């Protein structure tokens, strides 16, 4: 069964037979690219997650191990429920899935985290980095060497041309996507990544998708961090700047308030060191990751070509893709200034 055609009773019966829990209420969450549901019955609330295609069983086992490891270190993280068969991971509609205890608290959408909570969130990330340095298992690499080597300006631009050719010009979003692709292509032509020594970036174990959607708050602090399914060894400077841009209110307009971001980074530095080269290269590396990504566009175009119904999640992903393109424009124009401000911190 295609998960897009999922009916509520299919999900209810699956949870009953797999975990022995009888859902009375169910609500789907619309943010994020995974399919997530809040399940409720007389014994409490639970969080059911159906993962995207790219996640495999080993990845999800890592997430469970990481959460257990961090829980023992004093962090509030996801707790996973065993199935009737004694496992934590199951298959549903040809996707891996888990059932977790629901964590009560306040949540915010992207670009909505109030400043005091935003600053607490970066302190939590710094402490997570310190804790994960002791994680005993080898995590996947977030940016493989091939990611750097198997890339060229021509191939990146051709990717956008190819995708646009798959979309009917009569599509309601064709003009917007066409303009975005032209913007990205022009930025790729103008940006020279070879002048930056990205190989010098500090690589450490990190959450991998740290942002407002993965944080649960109490009234005055981060209460819990969830979704370690993307946890990997990656440049920590990328996680820091990305977490800010996906959470801070002014970033909704695809801009970064330099003073606020410098303060954000300083909060991290109160807890954990960052090398000067990481600070200097941070905006350039973030720009490099964004200009070459077709996330959001690719899935929308392929669904249109295949005649697959477009869901609200697809529209949200497309809007997010367009935001990322706008952030590319801002970074290209202001990266030098932002880099110079960050270097002065140390």
């Amino acid at each position: 069964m295609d998960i897009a055609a999922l009916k509520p009773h299919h999900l209810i019966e699956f949870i009953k037979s797999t975990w022995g829990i009888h859902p009375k209420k169910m609500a789907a969450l619309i943010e994020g690219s995974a399919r997530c549901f809040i399940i409720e019955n007389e014994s409490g609330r639970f969080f059911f997650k159906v993962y995207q295609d790219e996640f495999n069983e080993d990845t999800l086992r890592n997430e469970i191990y990481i959460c257990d490891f961090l829980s023992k270190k004093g962090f509030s993280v996801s707790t996973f429920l065993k199935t009737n068969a004694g496992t934590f991971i199951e298959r549903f509609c040809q996707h891996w899935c888990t059932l977790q205890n629901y964590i009560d608290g306040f949540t915010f959408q992207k670009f909505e985290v109030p400043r005091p909570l935003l600053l607490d969130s970066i302190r939590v990330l710094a402490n997570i980095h310190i804790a994960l340095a002791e994680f005993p298992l080898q995590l996947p690499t977030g940016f493989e060497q091939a990611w750097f080597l198997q890339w060229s300006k021509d191939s990146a631009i051709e990717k956008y041309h190819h995708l646009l050719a798959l979309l009917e010009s009569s599509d309601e979003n064709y003009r917007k996507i066409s303009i975005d692709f032209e913007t990205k292509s022009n930025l790729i032509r103008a940006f020279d990544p070879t002048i930056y020594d990205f190989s010098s970036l500090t690589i450490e174990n990190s959450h991998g998708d740290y942002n407002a959607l993965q944080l649960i708050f109490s009234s005055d602090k981060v209460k819990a961090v969830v979704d370690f399914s993307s946890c990997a060894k990656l440049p920590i400077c990328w996680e820091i700047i990305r977490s800010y841009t996906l959470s801070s209110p002014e970033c909704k307009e695809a801009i970064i308030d330099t003073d606020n971001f410098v303060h954000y980074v300083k909060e991290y530095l109160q807890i954990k060191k960052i090398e000067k080269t990481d600070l200097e290269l941070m905006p350039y590396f973030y720009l490099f990751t964004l200009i070459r990504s077709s996330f959001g566009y690719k899935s929308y175009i392929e669904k249109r070509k295949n005649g697959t119904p477009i869901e609200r999640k697809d529209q949200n992903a497309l809007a997010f893709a367009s935001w990322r393109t706008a952030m590319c424009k801002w970074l290209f124009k202001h990266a030098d200034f932002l880099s110079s401000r960050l270097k002065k911190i140390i």
Side-chain angles (χ1 to χ4, degrees):
M1 180 189 302
D2 187 338
I3 194 168
L6 177 71
K7 301 298 182 184
H9 73 272
H10 295 136
L11 177 56
I12 290 171
E13 289 303 317
F14 176 75
I15 291 176
K16 285 170 61 176
S17 62
T18 306
W19 280 276
I21 290 173
H22 295 240
K24 300 297 183 183
K25 295 181 180 179
M26 180 179 68
L29 303 182
I30 61 173
E31 288 286 348
S33 51
R35 302 229 174 220
C36 301
F37 304 83
I38 297 175
I39 307 297
E40 188 172 350
N41 66 11
E42 60 278 355
S43 63
R45 287 192 286 181
F46 308 91
F47 182 76
F48 181 67
K49 182 174 181 178
V50 184
Y51 294 82
Q52 306 93 307
D53 290 334
E54 61 265 29
F55 292 100
N56 57 43
E57 192 172 8
D58 290 338
T59 301
L60 300 187
R61 284 202 179 100
N62 273 345
E63 179 182 15
I64 293 167
Y65 294 150
I66 289 165
C67 287
D68 181 63
F69 173 82
L70 290 175
S71 178
K72 291 174 181 175
K73 292 277 188 180
F75 292 88
S76 179
V77 292
S78 302
T79 54
F80 297 81
L81 279 66
K82 282 188 176 181
T83 66
N84 294 333
T87 62
F88 289 103
I89 310 166
E90 191 50 80
R91 295 287 282 179
F92 179 64
C93 293
Q94 301 178 346
H95 294 261
W96 293 106
C97 63
T98 61
L99 187 67
Q100 307 167 29
N101 283 314
Y102 182 83
I103 302 173
D104 285 310
F106 300 106
T107 57
F108 297 94
Q109 301 304 314
K110 288 195 294 286
F111 320 121
E112 292 184 1
V113 181
R115 184 156 181 76
L117 297 180
L118 185 66
L119 295 177
D120 189 59
S121 75
I122 192 59
R123 294 189 288 267
V124 171
L125 179 61
N127 282 309
I128 287 174
H129 284 161
I130 292 171
L132 287 179
E134 301 176 5
F135 187 64
L137 301 181
Q138 181 73 23
L139 291 177
T141 302
F143 295 93
E144 296 281 358
Q145 189 176 25
W147 184 86
F148 293 93
L149 298 178
Q150 297 176 4
W151 180 86
S152 70
K153 292 191 175 191
D154 289 343
S155 63
I157 293 169
E158 175 56 32
K159 175 180 69 175
Y160 291 128
H161 287 166
H162 174 72
L163 281 173
L164 190 62
L166 299 178
L167 187 64
E168 295 288 341
S169 60
S170 58
D171 186 272
E172 60 183 338
N173 289 302
Y174 181 90
R175 186 173 183 276
K176 174 60 176 171
I177 293 173
S178 175
I179 292 171
D180 284 355
F181 282 1
E182 186 61 26
T183 296
K184 281 199 164 186
S185 296
N186 288 336
L187 290 174
I188 288 169
R189 293 184 186 100
F191 180 69
D192 183 5
T194 64
I195 67 176
Y196 307 104
D197 185 13
F198 292 144
S199 65
S200 68
L201 293 174
T202 301
I203 308 296
E204 294 181 2
N205 292 339
S206 190
H207 181 281
D209 189 20
Y210 195 81
N211 69 84
L213 299 181
Q214 320 301 1
L215 303 176
I216 299 171
F217 298 90
S218 64
S219 60
D220 61 347
K221 65 179 182 178
V222 174
K223 179 179 181 180
V225 181
V226 299
D227 192 2
F228 285 81
S229 58
S230 297
C231 200
K233 295 175 68 69
L234 49 79
I236 58 169
C237 69
W238 174 84
E239 187 91 280
I240 291 169
I241 189 169
R242 180 180 181 272
S243 67
Y244 182 86
T245 61
L246 299 189
S247 301
S248 185
E250 93 274 0
C251 294
K252 185 174 184 179
E253 305 303 321
I255 63 173
I256 297 175
D257 184 300
T258 304
D259 290 336
N260 286 346
F261 181 60
V262 166
H263 188 186
Y264 185 78
V265 174
K266 284 181 176 178
E267 290 296 313
Y268 183 99
L269 287 166
Q270 292 293 322
I271 296 170
K272 187 178 180 299
K273 178 183 177 182
I274 303 175
E275 297 295 335
K276 188 173 182 178
T277 53
D278 292 299
L279 295 173
E280 179 181 2
L281 294 175
M282 186 184 294
Y284 303 111
F285 185 69
Y286 191 36
L287 172 59
F288 187 44
T289 65
L290 291 179
I291 60 174
R292 56 187 291 181
S293 172
S294 60
F295 175 83
Y297 298 115
K298 186 173 185 291
S299 59
Y300 176 86
I301 290 172
E302 290 180 344
K303 279 196 169 187
R304 281 298 198 202
K305 179 175 174 56
N306 297 332
T308 307
I310 299 297
E311 303 174 80
R312 187 171 178 180
K313 277 182 174 290
D314 302 310
Q315 296 287 3
N316 288 346
L318 185 60
F320 183 46
S322 190
W323 174 88
R324 283 155 59 101
T325 298
M327 179 56 73
C328 287
K329 292 170 63 178
W330 189 93
L331 285 166
F332 185 81
K333 184 176 181 180
H334 298 94
D336 290 344
F337 176 71
L338 182 56
S339 176
S340 68
R341 286 291 307 277
L342 290 168
K343 280 191 296 184
K344 293 177 182 177
I345 295 177
I346 298 179

